[in-house]
Amino acid sequence: LAVAVLGARSKPALQITEDLRAINAVAKMPVVSYADILDKATPSVVAVYSSRIVAPTYRQRTPRGIQDLLRQFGYSFPPGEPEPQERLERVGVGSGVIVSSDGYIVTNHHVVQVQRGQTADEIRVRLSDDVEYVATLVGSDEKTDVAVLKIAPNEPLPAVTIADSDQLRVGDVVFAIGNPLDVGLTATQGIVSALGRNSYGILGPGAYEDFIQTDAAINLGNSGGALIDAWGRLIGINTAIVSGSGGSIGIGFAIPVNMALNVATNLIESGEVPRGLLGLHPVDLTPDLAAAFDLPSTRGALVNQVQPGSPAEQGGIRHGDIIIQVDDTLIESAPQLRLVVSQMRPGREVKVTLIRQNETLTLPVVLGSLNGALASDQST
């Protein structure tokens, strides 16, 4: 086990516990119960409640003297009620995961929103022992659906142990822990059904998706909760489901913990997520395009447009190039290229390997910033 300290020295650091080993057999006898694992992991999961301030209606705001006058004309007002005040109304319920014993909690961006683009006026967190805290929103990133909350506990909290989500394999046993439909902390079992799901547009245009797919039951209220492995380590943040009914049909998605922690650390350090930019628009290769370019497969991302003055143009990338690798990462598709580049720091020099007219080239490119003037929803 290793304790990692992530964050700027001048600000409170995010201190997490990591266990980066792959899941392997640890005994000859088969596991017949995961009760001990869940006993350890479940206290790290919390319920998250979002509320908004509701103002009195126009009718409620009518002054007492006017109410008395209007009663003479048949209008009805409840007698003797106190002057109406603004009040908090609970509008959302979700889940979160304690990632550090001093009170940092990772959840979903959409859990802390009362409606699109409007953050909750109050966020409360209920621990597994039913103790409640008012949480501070440290930061939130719509493009990955990750948010970070901070509470001030009276004593150290039971922080979850972090695994390496890059070591996941299809077939690994997993558990989804959260607060579905506000019934209380609940664990459901399944397996990793697929990895690298990034083409569903679940988070909307311009988002960055790299979901773990699981058949562990995920329902409304599970958002922001934990997806843990058979050793009780956090591997993902439960986020969304595909369903015609609104309930689980065995197709759930979680943000890999490596991606979620990268976003969370940046939000804690600076309140935003810096993202690299090449300055081009990639598209997937279809079988017809692959045949036209005389390629053996559809692997890679076709450069459909290079923005003038962009890092890509300055690095020599052209329209019609097929990007197959960035540094050591093989590129399978356009969405993957966007994701890989977005997770790199602006100002970093990367080596972009591409195919141009049946010739393989490697070009050095210094990344720009996705927050700059060249950025757009589809920029890479």
Side-chain angles (χ1 to χ4, degrees):
L1 298 181
V3 175
V5 179
L6 305 175
R9 292 295 181 188
S10 61
K11 296 186 178 182
L14 174 59
Q15 300 183 21
I16 62 173
T17 301
E18 292 182 311
D19 179 354
L20 305 181
R21 296 172 293 170
I23 287 287
N24 293 305
V26 294
K28 294 182 180 179
M29 295 296 291
V31 176
V32 294
S33 175
Y34 290 94
D36 291 339
I37 294 298
L38 293 175
D39 282 346
K40 179 182 177 182
T42 300
S44 301
V45 183
V46 301
V48 178
Y49 300 97
S50 57
S51 300
R52 64 180 177 182
I53 295 174
V54 178
T57 65
Y58 177 79
R59 181 179 176 89
Q60 290 173 326
R61 293 196 302 268
T62 305
R64 292 290 182 213
I66 301 298
Q67 288 187 23
D68 293 339
L69 176 63
L70 291 176
R71 284 193 185 96
Q72 300 177 25
F73 295 93
Y75 289 91
S76 174
F77 292 91
E81 284 195 352
E83 290 291 334
Q85 303 291 326
E86 290 184 339
R87 59 186 175 83
L88 278 170
E89 178 182 73
R90 182 175 292 175
V91 293
V93 58
S95 306
V97 186
I98 302 169
V99 294
S100 70
S101 60
D102 59 345
Y104 282 111
I105 295 169
V106 174
T107 184
N108 285 142
H109 168 82
H110 75 262
V111 168
V112 299
Q113 303 289 300
V114 292
Q115 60 187 42
R116 190 169 183 84
Q118 184 179 345
T119 303
D121 295 304
E122 182 185 79
I123 302 168
R124 300 189 72 87
V125 169
R126 179 183 295 167
L127 307 187
S128 60
D129 59 4
D130 290 333
V131 175
E132 284 197 10
Y133 293 90
V134 175
T136 299
L137 179 62
V138 176
S140 192
D141 181 51
E142 183 179 6
K143 291 184 180 296
T144 55
D145 202 18
V146 173
V148 180
L149 306 175
K150 181 69 169 67
I151 60 175
N154 299 321
E155 56 187 26
L157 298 176
V160 73
T161 298
I162 309 296
D164 180 3
S165 54
D166 289 341
Q167 296 198 53
L168 287 174
R169 297 182 300 169
V170 173
D172 284 351
V173 172
V174 294
F175 298 88
I177 307 177
N179 182 32
L181 303 174
D182 200 21
V183 300
L185 289 180
T186 302
T188 56
Q189 183 186 11
I191 63 169
V192 173
S193 304
L195 296 167
R197 295 299 198 199
N198 58 20
S199 302
Y200 289 93
I202 291 171
L203 301 183
Y208 296 95
E209 300 180 359
D210 186 32
F211 291 124
I212 303 164
Q213 182 181 328
T214 180
D215 64 344
I218 296 173
N219 289 287
L220 295 175
N222 272 115
S223 291
L227 189 68
I228 69 166
D229 64 18
W231 286 356
R233 305 173 304 179
L234 183 69
I235 59 171
I237 302 296
N238 298 321
T239 298
I241 60 174
V242 171
S243 172
S245 64
S248 174
I249 59 171
I251 306 176
F253 298 100
I255 303 165
V257 70
N258 291 4
M259 181 177 178
L261 275 182
N262 176 58
V263 173
T265 302
N266 281 302
L267 290 173
I268 292 169
E269 289 182 2
S270 62
E272 62 178 7
V273 183
R275 292 188 169 98
L277 173 75
L278 282 172
L280 55 84
H281 294 274
V283 296
D284 284 334
L285 283 166
T286 64
D288 288 341
L289 284 172
F293 283 100
D294 195 23
L295 299 173
S297 71
T298 58
R299 184 177 71 85
L302 174 63
V303 178
N304 188 48
Q305 180 185 352
V306 177
Q307 295 174 272
S310 67
E313 184 185 62
Q314 295 172 11
I317 298 176
R318 302 176 187 171
H319 167 73
D321 288 344
I322 297 144
I323 297 175
I324 58 174
Q325 188 169 331
V326 177
D327 283 346
D328 296 329
T329 303
L330 298 177
I331 301 302
E332 303 289 338
S333 65
Q336 186 203 5
L337 175 62
R338 292 186 66 249
L339 178 67
V340 168
V341 173
S342 74
Q343 293 182 308
M344 296 176 170
R345 286 270 177 176
R348 170 180 170 180
E349 182 179 281
V350 298
K351 296 186 182 301
V352 179
T353 302
L354 53 85
I355 297 173
R356 178 184 296 164
Q357 297 178 349
N358 295 320
E359 181 182 359
T360 301
L361 305 173
T362 299
L363 304 176
V365 180
V366 177
L367 296 177
S369 173
L370 195 62
N371 297 326
L374 291 172
S376 69
D377 277 351
Q378 300 304 317
S379 292
T380 295

